[in-house]
Amino acid sequence: LKKIHENSLKACVKKKLLINTLSKERVYQEFRKLLISKNASFALQILQRKNVLQILIRDLNKIKCKDIKFVDKVHKDFLVRLAYLINKSKISYELAVNQLKLPKREKNELKILLTQHNSIQTAKEARVLRYNYSKDIALKKYKLMIALVQGKEAKTVINVIKNWTPPQLPVNGKDLLQL
């Protein structure tokens, strides 16, 4: 059973507006820790009830309670979980990255994760995904897609993403430049 010290919670809620005085980098670091923690959904539910999510990322509090409860079942990766929250709360990518000071690499990866993608259920669809993205990004996109539909992972799809190597063209850009 998860518990929180009531007086500590009251003190935090009373001082919640001080979050705005922290640097965006600090807020990002703390939010990152929260999202990949063991009981992220518990913490997010409290933040939502106490209107702190609204301070972290405007309109994030619009997310449904059932979607917050599901966060712990989402792949334990900061960007996958953030993409899940952004998608479920229907906030824009721009709003989220402007409120959290994400490093450039993470901004780019989050944008890729949030781009629409078709359902991936077969080995062929997994190869298409893997052909278009790195192994890491393809796996994260698949795990996000599974979380958004609250489906089950297919071992075949995971296996293709992890082990299939996209074909290499015999000619590359450097070869063309030498002509």
Side-chain angles (χ1 to χ4, degrees), residues 25-151:
E25 291 86 354
R26 175 68 187 271
V27 173
Y28 155 77
Q29 290 169 352
E30 298 302 325
F31 192 60
R32 180 183 185 82
K33 289 178 198 173
L34 183 148
L35 274 188
I36 58 174
S37 69
K38 185 177 179 183
N39 297 310
S41 65
F42 176 69
L44 288 168
Q45 287 175 68
I46 291 171
L47 293 176
Q48 185 184 42
R49 264 187 263 131
K50 302 299 181 181
N51 294 317
V52 177
L53 279 183
Q54 179 72 11
I55 296 168
L56 297 174
I57 302 174
R58 196 175 76 238
D59 296 337
L60 187 58
N61 63 330
K62 291 180 180 178
I63 191 168
K64 295 177 183 169
C65 188
K66 71 177 181 76
D67 293 327
I68 287 179
K69 287 179 181 178
F70 193 77
V71 166
D72 292 332
K73 295 177 182 160
V74 176
H75 179 59
K76 197 172 183 175
D77 175 89
F78 170 68
L79 291 176
V80 173
R81 287 185 172 184
L82 180 58
Y84 172 83
L85 292 173
I86 289 169
N87 189 291
K88 289 295 186 176
S89 61
K90 296 177 175 57
I91 60 175
S92 71
Y93 160 82
E94 291 79 14
L95 178 64
V97 297
N98 286 337
Q99 298 221 280
L100 291 175
K101 186 77 173 175
L102 297 175
K104 187 176 182 178
R105 184 193 62 76
E106 288 189 354
K107 283 181 186 178
N108 294 337
E109 189 174 320
L110 182 62
K111 192 171 198 170
I112 291 169
L113 289 175
L114 289 170
T115 53
Q116 281 303 102
H117 47 273
N118 298 330
S119 176
I120 301 129
Q121 298 174 342
T122 66
K124 182 179 180 181
E125 292 165 338
R127 281 191 295 277
V128 170
L129 180 69
R130 180 60 185 90
Y131 184 81
N132 289 315
Y133 300 102
S134 69
K135 184 187 307 185
D136 185 49
I137 298 285
L139 190 59
K140 287 179 181 183
K141 279 186 79 70
Y142 178 67
K143 298 239 181 204
L144 175 61
M145 188 254 335
I146 290 297
L148 290 172
V149 298
Q150 296 186 4

Side-chain angles (χ1 to χ4, degrees), residues 1-23:
L1 184 66
K2 301 169 200 118
K3 290 185 178 183
I4 190 163
H5 188 263
E6 197 61 36
N7 288 338
S8 298
L9 178 61
K10 286 179 183 175
C12 290
V13 170
K14 187 176 178 181
K15 301 288 186 179
K16 70 184 178 186
L17 293 178
L18 291 177
I19 291 171
N20 292 324
T21 66
L22 299 173
S23 70

